[in-house]
Amino acid sequence: MKTTTFIKESIHENSTHINGWLRGLISLGLLLTWLLALFPVTIRVDHDWLKPLALIIASGLYLGGIGLLFRYLHRLPKRFDWWVTVGLWVLLLLIQLWVATAWVAAPRADLYFVHQQALNLLQGNHHWAAYFYTYPNNVTFTLLLSTLMHLGTGVTLNLIQFIWLDCGLVAVWHVLRQHNPARANLFLSLVITAVPLYAYALNTYTDVYVLPLIMLAVVTFYRLQQAETWQQIVGRSLLLSLFLVAAYLLKANLVVLLIATLLTLWLRPNQAPHQSVTRCLFTLILLATLIAGTGLTHNWQRANGYRLNPDQALPALSWVAMSWNPDYSGQYNRPDVTHIRQQPTQSAKQAWAKTTLTHRLDTLGPAGISDHLYQKARLFLANGTFDSFQVNPAFDRAPNWYRQHRATSDWFLASWCQITYLTLLLVNLGWGIQQLRRRHLTATYLVGGLAFIGLACFHIIFWEAEERYALPLLPLLLAGTAAGYRQPVNVLRYSLRSRWLPLGVGAAFTVLLGIAAWQNAGLMVHSNSEPVSVVSQNEGRYYQNHRLTVAPHHTLTQPFTASLPFDQIIINQGQRRLTGRLILRDAHGKVVWQSRGQRPRLTWNFPPQMAGHYTLSVTNRGTQPLKLVTAPATYRLLPQAIIGHANQYLQFRVQQQSVAPVLSNGKFWLLFGGMWLSGLLIVDRFYWYRRQI
């Protein structure tokens, strides 16, 4: 008996030490991420960011705003609380409906192949493009998309994706509301202003389909921790296993969430009479679900004509080798993929990847490895946009005001994303520190923290690192902020003893904001040379290199519709010249512009043309066939295909050149003036966390 008691005490003591280490590790990870986010990367964006001081001030103002909002929500009478909740939900749904109907993203890059293959399957064609033998990770999602396309495409798909996203949001909101209605309403308020959720809901890819699964999994895990009866344990274990396995099968890097859930379940106590029963039963059900789900997925793929070809697929080691290319900071890069694809067999690919990885690690050395890990960490964790403004590079439908002012709109939205990201990290860090001080760690915080650490290690150390792979952290940060925010103490209560303290704080804030404005003055001076995109059909170069041959003395004609005025056309990325002529005609067939010379280049500027319907003709006047890059598609990449080629679309861009500062003088001072007024309003409510939770 004494021996049993001693063993239990030893296990409990070891578990306490492990939990303590994990609390510290999660808090340290959040702190380092916050420091990285003060210097967002510019590798994948086309604008300047706010300087760190401005970001700190803005995130402080946002934190103060959250404090005021939470105090208001916390003090609401019960008879008004429900109306506030209904109002927030209605506002969120109206914004989602507007976004879903006003914007329709054009499938590009991976989505081009996924969308086309899903349509082929929908039409009964089970021949798979070569792309899917190189990237088998997208096969399962393609099958799912093909099923959803029975309901519709475009706006219909957008609505489906928003509805599915809301399923996860409702689950988190419901759990929070059971504990504290104010926290549930705070969560809704944060979600309404979470720009990446809207951007990714427009992006028909795996991200928007796994986000709700993550939220549902965390909520179900919380319910499992509370389960007391056999029926509850079995039912919730099965449901949690389904969510975790589905997320993993759609996006393999979410294996870290599966591992984090298992670890947390074994490290944290639960409310079952026999805790080990819950742990063992869930582990067995999860393993069975994983085996069954993997088997069913493979059968589903084979039933639709897909057979894995190991000699064509990129082996896992090749992704690791690619991520250690010092020239790309851990990003996906075509040169490495091209080299690996050129290897004829799986063993040859493995050998190339192993040799390349060994060579790169030896070349980098300890200092180079440390620097490369830092660069990958910055790329993965520093940007609160989560790649929202590059994930949808083109739209089949978008408001004209957005097309015309996209550069400025995206800058404001990206800055907002960065400010909110810093604030979410800070609140979650504060929640973790409070748990450290009280030596109490909630199970949901631990599972989210372990998923965060696991995802960061997976991509920073081993795999490709891009901002969008960090997107699963966003719902965890939103839920953690709503659950972990503490009603702050009013630091300025001491102003009763010193009436000059509020004035001093206000003056110090004004001085700091003035310095921040001076540091960011370049935003209204430096020119932003990014053009306004009017038409963009840029498929044809990712993975494939499809070309359409124009015989001597023949003409290729591509109709297009310009929603805005334009003054530039680029064909084939402007990379060569041709022997012939380019002619632009309006809707009436009148020639409004034509190229000069016998060998015109493929990038031309001309007098501004009005919005409307046009045709672009490329005539080959040489003696050799002319090959132009095109994209084959059985769906509309543009409103009309190349004349005489029903399923071919020319690769070209129509643009409106725009050389102007990122912000005008008026917008710049409106931004900092608004921050100054907001700060003065919040200064008498300058908050920090209470020690007592």
Side-chain angles (χ1 to χ4, degrees):
M1 189 70 176
K2 291 182 179 179
T3 304
T4 304
T5 304
F6 174 75
I7 292 174
K8 288 183 178 179
E9 290 177 352
S10 299
I11 292 173
H12 177 73
E13 185 178 352
N14 290 334
S15 177
T16 302
H17 284 309
I18 293 172
N19 286 330
W21 279 104
L22 291 175
R23 285 194 297 265
L25 181 62
I26 294 168
S27 297
L28 179 61
L30 288 170
L31 176 61
L32 293 177
T33 302
W34 187 82
L35 293 174
L36 288 173
L38 290 176
F39 303 90
V41 295
T42 56
I43 296 174
R44 298 167 63 85
V45 295
D46 50 26
H47 57 70
D48 295 326
W49 289 98
L50 287 169
K51 302 300 181 183
L53 179 59
L55 288 174
I56 291 174
I57 292 173
S59 61
L61 295 177
Y62 185 67
L63 180 61
I66 290 177
L68 291 174
L69 177 62
F70 185 71
R71 174 169 289 187
Y72 167 76
L73 295 172
H74 191 69
R75 296 181 175 182
L76 266 180
K78 289 186 177 179
R79 63 180 182 275
F80 293 129
D81 172 71
W82 179 249
W83 290 108
V84 171
T85 300
V86 171
L88 289 172
W89 271 114
V90 169
L91 178 60
L92 174 62
L93 294 175
L94 287 176
I95 295 175
Q96 289 180 342
L97 181 63
W98 172 58
V99 173
T101 53
W103 279 267
V104 176
R108 295 290 185 254
D110 294 279
L111 296 188
Y112 162 74
F113 296 98
V114 169
H115 197 85
Q116 180 61 64
Q117 188 65 48
L119 283 175
N120 292 345
L121 293 172
L122 192 62
Q123 296 162 2
N125 180 0
H126 289 180
H127 172 76
W128 288 78
Y131 165 87
F132 291 95
Y133 296 101
T134 302
Y135 302 101
N137 56 295
N138 282 327
V139 173
T140 303
F141 175 70
T142 303
L143 294 172
L144 174 63
L145 180 60
S146 178
T147 303
L148 293 175
M149 279 183 170
H150 283 93
L151 302 175
T153 58
V155 172
T156 303
L157 264 181
N158 284 351
L159 293 173
I160 291 171
Q161 287 161 184
F162 272 111
I163 291 170
W164 174 232
L165 179 63
D166 287 342
C167 290
L169 297 175
V170 167
V172 176
W173 169 82
H174 181 67
V175 169
L176 289 171
R177 185 167 182 82
Q178 286 184 325
H179 286 272
N180 188 331
R183 296 195 180 283
N185 288 335
L186 179 61
F187 175 72
L188 279 181
S189 302
L190 295 172
V191 167
I192 287 171
T193 58
V195 175
L197 294 181
Y198 299 100
Y200 276 92
L202 296 174
N203 189 51
T204 307
Y205 201 37
T206 52
D207 305 284
V208 70
Y209 290 91
V210 300
L211 281 183
L213 290 172
I214 295 169
M215 291 184 272
L216 290 167
V218 173
V219 168
T220 309
F221 170 78
Y222 171 76
R223 296 298 190 194
L224 178 60
Q225 289 289 92
Q226 295 180 318
E228 297 179 353
T229 66
W230 278 93
Q231 293 86 348
Q232 290 176 340
I233 294 171
V234 172
R236 294 172 188 180
S237 294
L238 180 58
L239 195 59
L240 177 56
S241 298
L242 289 173
F243 291 143
L244 291 172
V245 171
Y248 164 70
L249 292 174
L250 283 174
K251 206 167 184 66
N253 64 348
L254 289 180
V255 67
V256 299
L257 180 61
L258 189 150
I259 296 171
T261 305
L262 266 179
L263 285 174
T264 306
L265 190 70
W266 282 90
L267 289 173
R268 296 297 301 155
N270 56 69
Q271 295 184 15
H274 303 285
Q275 297 185 18
S276 58
V277 172
T278 300
R279 292 163 177 163
C280 293
L281 193 58
F282 170 72
T283 303
L284 291 174
I285 291 176
L286 179 61
L287 290 175
T289 306
L290 183 60
I291 294 170
T294 304
L296 289 172
T297 301
H298 289 164
N299 288 337
W300 190 19
Q301 294 176 359
R302 286 192 293 269
N304 284 274
Y306 181 80
R307 300 290 187 276
L308 184 65
N309 187 339
D311 288 336
Q312 292 189 39
L314 300 181
L317 191 61
S318 70
W319 290 89
V320 179
M322 178 172 62
S323 76
W324 280 92
N325 188 330
D327 297 330
Y328 293 89
S329 299
Q331 296 181 93
Y332 174 94
N333 62 86
R334 287 189 65 192
D336 277 2
V337 174
T338 301
H339 284 306
I340 195 71
R341 284 181 59 199
Q342 289 173 348
Q343 310 306 312
T345 64
Q346 184 185 28
S347 58
K349 287 179 168 61
Q350 290 278 13
W352 182 91
K354 183 178 180 180
T355 302
T356 302
L357 178 60
T358 303
H359 173 72
R360 285 174 178 170
L361 292 175
D362 290 341
T363 303
L364 285 170
I369 288 174
S370 299
D371 180 67
H372 190 66
L373 287 172
Y374 168 70
Q375 297 300 332
K376 290 182 72 176
R378 283 197 66 205
L379 182 62
F380 184 65
L381 293 172
N383 285 27
T385 64
F386 300 99
D387 208 23
S388 299
F389 304 103
Q390 285 74 43
V391 74
N392 292 320
F395 292 95
D396 289 333
R397 178 190 296 181
N400 277 354
W401 64 263
Y402 177 73
R403 294 184 188 273
Q404 183 67 57
H405 303 287
R406 182 170 183 176
T408 303
S409 299
D410 284 0
W411 184 86
F412 273 108
L413 291 173
S415 298
W416 174 258
C417 289
Q418 198 67 20
I419 292 165
T420 56
Y421 183 52
L422 283 163
T423 307
L424 296 178
L425 288 169
L426 194 61
V427 175
N428 281 272
L429 174 61
W431 189 23
I433 291 173
Q434 288 295 325
Q435 295 184 70
L436 270 172
R437 294 175 66 183
R438 295 191 61 191
R439 297 188 177 182
H440 170 73
L441 184 64
T442 60
T444 48
Y445 184 85
L446 179 58
V447 73
L450 287 177
F452 159 61
I453 297 297
L455 199 64
C457 291
F458 182 83
H459 284 285
I460 294 171
I461 299 175
F462 301 108
W463 214 253
E464 176 195 355
E466 291 179 12
E467 301 101 308
R468 68 184 183 91
Y469 292 136
L471 183 66
L473 302 180
L474 180 59
L476 299 177
L477 291 173
L478 290 170
T481 299
Y485 186 84
R486 292 296 174 262
Q487 182 65 14
V489 65
N490 188 355
V491 175
L492 293 185
R493 64 187 176 185
Y494 300 107
S495 61
L496 294 174
R497 304 173 192 172
S498 174
R499 60 184 179 181
W500 299 107
L501 184 58
L503 294 176
V505 173
F509 168 75
T510 302
V511 171
L512 287 175
L513 188 63
I515 295 172
W518 171 71
Q519 289 178 339
N520 288 274
L523 293 172
M524 57 181 180
V525 176
H526 298 155
S527 293
N528 175 20
S529 59
E530 284 296 313
V532 176
S533 177
V534 179
V535 178
S536 177
Q537 199 307 93
N538 59 2
E539 285 308 324
R541 283 297 181 95
Y542 175 70
Y543 186 82
Q544 69 179 10
N545 198 13
H546 192 274
R547 296 172 184 268
L548 193 63
T549 300
V550 182
H553 308 294
H554 283 69
T555 299
L556 178 149
T557 301
Q558 172 68 69
F560 66 92
T561 301
S563 56
L564 298 171
F566 61 96
D567 56 8
Q568 186 181 62
I569 285 181
I570 302 173
I571 303 173
N572 275 24
Q573 305 294 336
Q575 293 177 354
R576 55 175 294 187
R577 289 175 175 265
L578 62 89
T579 302
R581 175 167 293 179
L582 308 177
I583 299 177
L584 185 67
R585 293 182 173 88
D586 62 16
H588 305 291
K590 178 183 176 181
V591 176
V592 295
W593 170 84
Q594 59 182 342
S595 62
R596 300 183 299 274
Q598 295 297 316
R599 290 182 55 79
R601 59 186 183 275
L602 296 183
T603 299
W604 277 94
N605 302 326
F606 41 78
Q609 305 296 320
M610 299 300 294
H613 300 286
Y614 292 87
T615 57
L616 174 64
S617 298
V618 182
T619 301
N620 180 10
R621 292 186 174 179
T623 58
Q624 300 295 323
L626 171 66
K627 293 184 178 181
L628 295 176
V629 178
T630 62
T634 58
Y635 66 97
R636 291 185 174 183
L637 292 178
L638 294 171
Q640 287 182 271
I642 296 172
I643 294 177
H645 301 272
N647 297 321
Q648 294 284 343
Y649 298 83
L650 180 67
Q651 185 196 55
F652 75 116
R653 302 198 307 275
V654 178
Q655 300 177 153
Q656 180 188 118
Q657 295 185 83
S658 174
V659 180
V662 178
L663 295 178
S664 64
N665 290 0
K667 290 176 182 176
F668 178 86
W669 291 113
L670 180 63
L671 171 65
F672 280 91
M675 291 173 63
W676 182 67
L677 290 175
S678 300
L680 294 183
L681 289 173
I682 294 174
V683 75
D684 66 329
R685 293 292 184 269
F686 186 75
Y687 295 118
W688 196 244
Y689 295 101
R690 291 180 191 263
R691 181 168 182 169
Q692 305 272 332
I693 293 182

